[in-house]
Structure formats: C-alpha cells, structure tokens
Amino acid sequence: MSTAIAAPVDRLLYKPEEAAEALAIGRSTVYELMTEGTLKYIKLGRARRIRRTDLEAYVANLAPLPN
C-alpha cells in the first residue's frame, strides 16, 4: 500500500499564521507588521489575508545588515 504525498499548494492568499510560517517568523510578529502597515493585507469579512505578492514585496524590501 503506497501513500501519496500531496505537493504544497501555491497559495495566492495566506492566513497570518501561514504567512508567519512562510516567512519563518512568529505569528505575533506578522500581526505587528500588519498593524504598523509594514506588511499589507486585505480584509475578507472579518478575516485578514495576505497576498503572496505582498509577502514577496515585504521580503524584497528587507535591507541586509552591513558586515
């Protein structure tokens, strides 16, 4: 009996918890970034979702620390 492993879904919208996992940061940090406007999000009813493009833009705008 073989067990098929499903490939991860390439999402367009992420829950804050999923965004935290994708960014390898804490969930509360994602909420802080959303509150201060650093990480853009959309509201769908009462739910907040983060677009993949907004996650990519956030990462692209991170400045590396000088050595």
Side-chain angles (χ1 to χ4, degrees), residues 5-61:
I5 298 175
V9 176
D10 192 20
R11 297 181 183 270
L12 297 174
L13 294 174
Y14 291 82
K15 295 177 185 177
E17 295 80 9
E18 296 167 338
E21 185 177 335
L23 295 172
I25 60 176
R27 181 182 63 88
S28 59
T29 303
V30 169
Y31 280 102
E32 289 173 12
L33 293 170
M34 290 166 50
T35 299
E36 64 190 31
T38 306
L39 182 58
K40 296 179 182 178
Y41 66 94
I42 60 171
K43 288 196 76 166
L44 296 172
R46 291 175 33 164
R48 291 185 262 185
R49 296 293 183 262
I50 303 162
R51 289 180 265 196
R52 179 179 54 207
T53 55
D54 290 328
L55 286 175
E56 292 168 348
Y58 169 73
V59 172
N61 288 327

